[in-house]
Amino acid sequence: MEDDSKTAILETAKHLFSKDGYEATSVGRLAKEVGVAKSLIYYYFEKKEDILTEILANGTDDLYEMHQKMSDSAQEFTLDYMMSIIEKIAEKVRGRSDIIRIMMQEFLKATHKENQTPLYMDSFLEYLKARSEKHCKDDEKTQMKFIIEFLFFGSMPFHMYVVFEDFFAEKYNYDKEELWELFMELYKDNYVIPLHERIK
């Protein structure tokens, strides 16, 4: 019963944070939407920020693990192998539009605050830094290029796509599955193939 209540709080918070924003969603409103006493939310979470942290951790940790397994794999980096892993990650990202929308909102908000990168983003950037040091050794400039390329050319296109997919499909009256196939085709041509050419 306790786990069910906590799950309901997290799922409702995810929906409200995505729809209306984290700061615009009070604990009181969250409690009302879930149908529980406000005190029950504070039983599970010391503060509202802890709800956000758990939502984002639950929605992103396995993505980092999948990418790390790919990076650490001894398997040859053929184009087919790279695409198979990327497609698995992409489908997971696509199925988490609420979480991606929250991440984008919080990250954009954080860029206006001096040295206040959210904890989940700090851990992601530390992960990227570690990957860059592994693949680029002691060349600091190449390491930074690795981080920029992965973040803005590899990761961000998926994030932007899932945030805008519903709007884009409705705007152009286009089937979402066909739209996804077009996106993946372009992603492969413009990012994965050039990347494979450099690392093979």
Side-chain angles (χ1 to χ4, degrees):
M1 182 64 178
E2 285 192 1
D3 287 344
D4 290 345
S5 296
K6 184 177 181 182
T7 298
I9 291 168
L10 288 169
E11 286 300 311
T12 305
K14 181 173 67 175
H15 172 72
L16 293 175
F17 293 170
S18 171
K19 178 174 172 284
D20 299 326
Y22 167 73
E23 292 189 355
T25 303
S26 67
V27 173
R29 183 186 173 198
L30 174 58
K32 184 178 179 180
E33 292 284 340
V34 179
V36 298
K38 195 172 173 180
S39 59
L40 184 64
I41 293 178
Y42 286 117
Y43 171 77
Y44 290 112
F45 304 97
E46 185 177 340
K47 53 189 183 297
K48 189 173 79 166
E49 185 181 3
D50 295 339
I51 303 173
L52 176 67
T53 299
E54 186 157 339
I55 287 170
L56 294 175
N58 289 344
T60 57
D61 282 355
D62 63 330
L63 300 178
Y64 303 159
E65 287 170 10
M66 285 177 70
H67 186 269
Q68 187 154 350
K69 283 179 182 177
M70 180 181 75
S71 299
D72 293 340
S73 174
Q75 186 168 337
E76 183 183 356
F77 268 57
T78 64
L79 183 59
D80 286 343
Y81 172 67
M82 288 177 67
M83 279 305 300
S84 70
I85 299 296
I86 287 169
E87 284 169 358
K88 288 176 185 175
I89 294 173
E91 285 292 348
K92 283 183 175 288
V93 170
R94 189 184 179 206
R96 300 174 188 183
S97 58
D98 282 353
I99 291 171
I100 300 303
R101 190 171 285 107
I102 296 167
M103 283 179 64
M104 298 287 281
Q105 291 171 356
E106 291 304 299
F107 181 64
L108 289 172
K109 183 176 69 179
T111 60
H112 296 287
K113 298 179 181 179
E114 186 176 354
N115 296 323
Q116 290 193 17
T117 311
L119 288 176
Y120 68 88
M121 196 64 191
D122 268 341
S123 63
F124 179 50
L125 294 176
E126 286 171 10
Y127 164 75
L128 285 185
K129 180 65 174 171
R131 295 287 98 191
S132 73
E133 290 171 351
K134 176 182 176 182
H135 292 291
C136 307
K137 306 304 179 186
D138 298 324
D139 185 344
E140 188 173 337
K141 184 176 180 179
T142 305
Q143 289 171 7
M144 184 52 63
K145 285 176 70 176
F146 176 95
I147 293 170
I148 290 171
E149 181 176 43
F150 183 91
L151 185 59
F152 295 105
F153 295 85
S155 177
M156 283 299 176
F158 285 118
H159 294 168
M160 294 301 292
Y161 180 87
V162 300
V163 167
F164 287 104
E165 182 181 48
D166 288 340
F167 167 80
F168 203 72
E170 186 176 338
K171 175 74 174 175
Y172 293 101
N173 192 28
Y174 211 90
D175 180 77
K176 285 205 298 186
E177 292 309 312
E178 290 183 21
L179 199 61
W180 176 247
E181 288 177 11
L182 289 176
F183 171 79
M184 288 301 295
E185 182 182 325
L186 288 164
Y187 185 80
K188 179 179 179 180
D189 290 344
N190 289 280
Y191 176 68
V192 183
I193 291 176
L195 177 63
H196 176 256
E197 288 298 314
R198 290 201 308 276
I199 66 176
K200 69 179 181 179

